[in-house]
């Protein structure tokens, strides 16, 4: 049997008018600290564990999530004997608190829950949509449009994803997955900007991203390409030397074939060679 709680709907049997929030559009934001907005006002689902529960359901929005998986996300491998009852209590409180918001449904199934929402209500889903459309635009030879869409997706990020909620291995893995998605998004954006001839303009962003991911060779290659095409050949070569040293000292490896080939092309001032060095950098969310 499935029981649905609708934020902003007619199913208000669980609602406490004194505890609920006013009717209004609801936004669920995961690309940074957990943020829930109702009519533009921030609403908290409670303490750390209710926040983890709500964030985990949002991460898997529009999909069934078992109680066992929720418990592992909230408590890890050593949950209390009262874990299932606590989950029921947290869900009940959430239903009362968000009883009159708009557009979200929390469905109770025989062995878990499913939070449903429109794609534009969850920043992660909106970001994934923009990433997909942007990637298609780039593939279809429209780098300017791709860059615009990917930039819009990047702007949805407000900081470190799930900040303060990574107390368990499950939530740490979810945060790492989001970080990897963001890195792939940035790589695709840089690829679009380079294809659109925005070499000089993206150098500051590339420098900052390389500083955050110093061992990522694709980012180094993009930075070298942007510098070279902006007339900064010496800086491009210095970027390679820095990468060579870091990879050798930190990881005991040397630059891969693509980065080495790009270095040789810059040394030779061979624009034709560098034109063939771009690669597809698709990273699934």
């Amino acid at each position: 049997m499935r029981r649905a709680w609708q934020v902003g709907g007619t199913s208000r049997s669980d609602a406490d008018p004194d505890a609920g929030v006013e009717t209004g559009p609801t936004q669920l934001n995961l690309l940074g600290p957990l943020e829930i907005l109702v009519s533009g006002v921030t609403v908290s689902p409670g303490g750390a564990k209710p926040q983890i529960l709500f964030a985990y359901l949002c991460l898997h929005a529009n999909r069934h999530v078992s109680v066992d998986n929720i418990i592992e996300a909230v408590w890890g491998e050593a949950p209390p004997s009262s874990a299932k009852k606590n989950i029921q209590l947290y869900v009940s409180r959430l239903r009362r608190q968000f009883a009159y918001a708009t557009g979200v449904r929390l469905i109770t199934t025989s062995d878990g829950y499913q939070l449903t929402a429109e794609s534009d209500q969850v920043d992660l889903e909106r970001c994934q949509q923009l990433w997909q459309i942007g990637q298609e635009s780039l593939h279809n030879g429209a780098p300017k449009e791709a860059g615009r869409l990917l930039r819009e997706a990047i702007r949805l990020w407000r900081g470190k994803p799930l900040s303060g909620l990574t107390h368990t291995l499950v939530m740490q893995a979810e945060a790492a997955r989001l970080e990897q998605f963001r890195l792939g998004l940035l790589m695709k954006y840089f690829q679009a900007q380079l294809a659109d001839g925005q070499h000089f303009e993206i150098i500051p962003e590339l420098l900052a991203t390389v500083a955050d991911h110093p061992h990522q060779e694709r980012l180094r290659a993009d930075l070298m390409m942007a510098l070279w095409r902006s007339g900064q050949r010496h800086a491009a070569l210095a970027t390679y030397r820095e990468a060579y040293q870091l990879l050798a000292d930190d990881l005991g490896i040397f630059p891969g074939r693509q980065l080495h080939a790009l270095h040789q092309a810059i040394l030779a001032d061979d624009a034709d060679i560098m034109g063939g060095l771009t690669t597809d950098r698709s990273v699934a969310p």
Side-chain angles (χ1 to χ4, degrees):
M1 180 178 180
R2 295 156 69 92
R3 181 162 61 91
W5 156 70
Q6 179 169 339
V7 186
T10 58
S11 300
R12 298 182 176 178
S13 58
D14 292 323
D16 178 353
D18 296 327
V21 296
E22 295 182 359
T23 301
T26 305
Q27 184 69 37
L28 311 175
N29 297 328
L30 300 164
L31 303 180
L34 176 64
E35 180 183 62
I36 303 165
L37 299 174
V38 180
S39 297
V41 177
T42 301
V43 178
S44 172
K49 287 181 170 54
Q51 287 186 51
I52 293 172
L53 163 64
F54 197 79
Y56 192 67
L57 290 173
C58 290
L59 284 165
H60 301 276
N62 302 307
R63 287 171 285 173
H64 166 76
V65 182
S66 71
V67 170
D68 289 342
N69 286 347
I70 294 172
I71 288 174
E72 188 176 0
V74 175
W75 283 281
E77 297 181 353
S81 58
S82 60
K84 287 189 177 181
K85 289 185 178 179
N86 289 345
I87 293 297
Q88 293 172 352
L89 177 62
Y90 298 155
V91 169
S92 178
R93 288 175 178 172
L94 286 169
R95 285 173 168 158
R96 290 197 302 271
Q97 186 173 19
F98 297 99
Y100 303 127
T102 300
V104 178
R105 288 170 58 89
L106 182 57
I107 300 171
T108 301
T109 65
S110 59
D111 65 338
Y113 302 94
Q114 180 176 323
L115 185 145
T116 64
E118 298 297 326
S119 59
D120 61 353
Q121 291 184 289
V122 184
D123 61 352
L124 175 58
E125 293 203 9
R126 175 62 178 157
C127 190
Q128 290 172 335
Q129 283 187 340
L130 289 166
W131 178 91
Q132 184 63 42
I133 300 170
Q135 180 173 255
E136 291 172 359
S137 295
L138 185 59
H139 178 74
N140 293 330
K144 187 176 293 294
E145 176 66 5
R148 184 190 68 79
L149 291 164
L150 295 167
R151 165 55 65 186
E152 184 179 344
I154 290 168
R155 286 176 177 155
L156 293 173
W157 292 76
R158 298 169 292 107
K160 198 170 184 64
L162 306 178
S163 177
L165 301 180
T166 55
H167 306 299
T168 63
L169 291 176
V170 170
M171 295 305 288
Q172 289 168 18
E174 293 285 2
R177 177 175 67 88
L178 292 178
E179 289 282 12
Q180 187 62 30
F181 172 43
R182 182 174 184 272
L183 178 58
L185 177 62
L186 286 166
M187 286 181 176
K188 185 61 65 176
Y189 169 70
F190 294 138
Q191 184 183 359
Q193 292 295 87
L194 287 171
D196 191 39
Q198 304 297 313
H199 313 122
F200 180 77
E201 291 79 2
I202 64 168
I203 289 174
E205 290 177 279
L206 272 167
L207 286 169
T209 308
V210 166
D212 290 337
H213 305 276
H215 302 123
Q216 178 52 252
E217 292 190 44
R218 285 181 176 176
L219 290 173
R220 292 275 182 180
D222 284 345
L223 178 56
M224 290 169 62
M225 189 80 77
L227 288 166
W228 185 85
R229 288 179 174 173
S230 299
Q232 302 179 58
R233 180 172 179 270
H234 292 296
L237 294 173
T239 297
Y240 178 82
R241 290 194 297 270
E242 181 184 44
Y244 187 99
Q245 196 66 49
L246 275 173
L247 292 170
D249 291 347
D250 296 349
L251 304 179
I253 61 174
F254 298 104
R257 181 170 56 185
Q258 181 183 352
L259 198 61
H260 177 73
L262 179 55
H263 177 243
Q264 294 300 309
I266 294 174
L267 283 173
D269 274 329
D270 193 335
D272 292 334
I273 293 177
M274 284 192 290
L277 289 175
T278 56
T279 60
D280 181 27
R281 297 180 177 89
S282 303
V283 178

